[in-house]
Amino acid sequence: RVNDIFAERFPQLRDAPGVSLADLIGVQSKPIIDNVSLGQSDFGKYTLRFDGRERILNGNFSPLRDMSGNPSGFVFIGADVTSTEKAIAQVKAETEAAKKAQDDVVGALTSALSRLADGDLSARMTEAVDADYEKLRDRFNSSVSGLDTAIGGVLENAGSILGEASNISDAAGDLSKRTEQQAATLEHFAAALAQLTASVASAAEGANQAHDVVNTARQNAETSGSVVREAVEAMDEISSSSEQISR
C-alpha cells in the first residue's frame, strides 16, 4: 500500500496501483527493503521521483509486523524537505560561484600586480570578472594608467633636463675655450704693450740725447760766433791801422 505521505506528495500514485518503492526511490530502495525485511528501521533523506516530479523527504522507514511478528510491510514517517534542500543547494551553488568569482579576480589581480612589480606599467586586468568585481578591475586599471602617465611625464622631463644639462655643458666648454683664447690674447697684448713701453722709453732716451747734442751745438755755435766777431774786429783794426799808415 502506498504510504499516505507519498500519496500526498504524488497524488497520482493513488491511481497507479502496483508502483513499488523501487519505482519511487530507485537504487536507494534495496538497502531500505533489506533493513525493513530484517525488522530494522532505515533513517535518511530520500529522493522520490514519479511522473516527472521530484520530492525530497527526510525521515525513516519502519517495518510493520503481522500477528506472528514477521515483517509484512513498512511505514514512512518524515517530512517533505524539498524546499529546504533546494534552498540549501542554491546557497551552496551561489557560494561556490562566489568563491570561483573571487578566485578568478584574485588570480587576475595577482598576475597584474606581479607584472607591475617587474616594472611593466602596461599591466592591466583584462580578464572577464564577475559583475561584483568589475568596479575593482576598473579602478585598478585606472590607477595603473594614471601611474603610467605620471611616470611617463617624469621620464620625459628627465630627458629634457638631461638635454639642457648637455647643452649647458657644451656652452661651458665653449666659454672655457673662449676664456683660454682671451687669456692668450691678453698675454700677447701685454707682451706688445711691454715692447711699446720699451720703445717709448728708448725714444725718450734718444730725444734726451738729441737735446743734449742740440745744446752742445748751440753752445759751439755761440762760441764760434764770438770767435768770428773777434776776428772781424781784429780785421777792422788791422784795416784801420793800414789806412793810417798809408796817410
Side-chain angles (χ1 to χ4, degrees):
R1 185 174 66 85
V2 175
N3 190 275
D4 289 341
I5 194 170
F6 291 171
E8 290 177 2
R9 299 301 179 270
F10 300 97
Q12 59 270 41
L13 287 175
R14 299 183 185 279
D15 301 323
V19 175
S20 67
L21 183 62
D23 294 329
L24 293 176
I25 60 177
V27 296
Q28 299 177 80
S29 65
K30 187 177 185 308
I32 295 173
I33 293 174
D34 291 341
N35 290 336
V36 171
S37 297
L38 296 174
Q40 300 174 356
S41 298
D42 191 277
F43 299 87
K45 291 179 182 178
Y46 310 98
T47 301
L48 281 67
R49 297 181 180 86
F50 183 75
D51 196 23
R53 297 180 62 194
E54 178 179 289
R55 306 298 293 182
I56 301 173
L57 304 180
N58 185 23
N60 70 287
F61 289 90
S62 297
L64 296 176
R65 301 179 184 277
D66 57 17
M67 297 297 294
S68 300
N70 297 317
S72 60
F74 68 88
V75 62
F76 178 80
I77 301 174
D80 186 347
V81 295
T82 304
S83 298
T84 302
E85 289 298 316
K86 286 185 177 181
I88 292 174
Q90 182 177 358
V91 170
K92 182 178 179 181
E94 290 175 353
T95 301
E96 292 177 351
K99 184 178 184 305
K100 182 180 183 304
Q102 187 178 47
D103 291 342
D104 290 343
V105 75
V106 169
L109 182 60
T110 300
S111 177
L113 288 174
S114 178
R115 291 173 57 193
L116 189 62
D118 291 336
D120 183 5
L121 295 178
S122 66
R124 300 291 187 277
M125 289 179 63
T126 57
E127 296 85 348
V129 297
D130 188 83
D132 292 338
Y133 298 103
E134 287 181 353
K135 191 173 183 179
L136 171 65
R137 181 190 62 188
D138 294 342
R139 285 188 174 180
F140 174 83
N141 290 340
S142 177
S143 298
V144 175
S145 179
L147 180 64
D148 187 15
T149 300
I151 293 181
V154 170
L155 293 177
E156 183 177 355
N157 291 335
S160 299
I161 291 173
L162 288 176
E164 292 176 359
S166 178
N167 292 335
I168 292 173
S169 177
D170 293 341
D174 293 341
L175 178 60
S176 177
K177 290 180 181 179
R178 288 197 297 271
T179 301
E180 292 177 357
Q181 292 173 354
Q182 290 175 354
T185 301
L186 289 174
E187 185 178 355
H188 292 314
F189 178 75
L193 183 60
Q195 292 178 354
L196 179 60
T197 302
S199 298
V200 171
S202 177
E205 184 179 357
N208 290 332
Q209 292 176 354
H211 184 267
D212 291 341
V213 170
V214 170
N215 287 336
T216 302
R218 187 177 63 247
Q219 291 175 0
N220 290 335
E222 290 176 353
T223 301
S224 297
S226 293
V227 172
V228 170
R229 283 195 300 273
E230 290 177 357
V232 170
E233 291 177 356
M235 289 180 65
D236 288 341
E237 290 179 356
I238 294 172
S239 176
S240 177
S241 299
S242 297
E243 289 180 356
Q244 290 179 359
I245 293 172
S246 298
R247 291 177 184 175

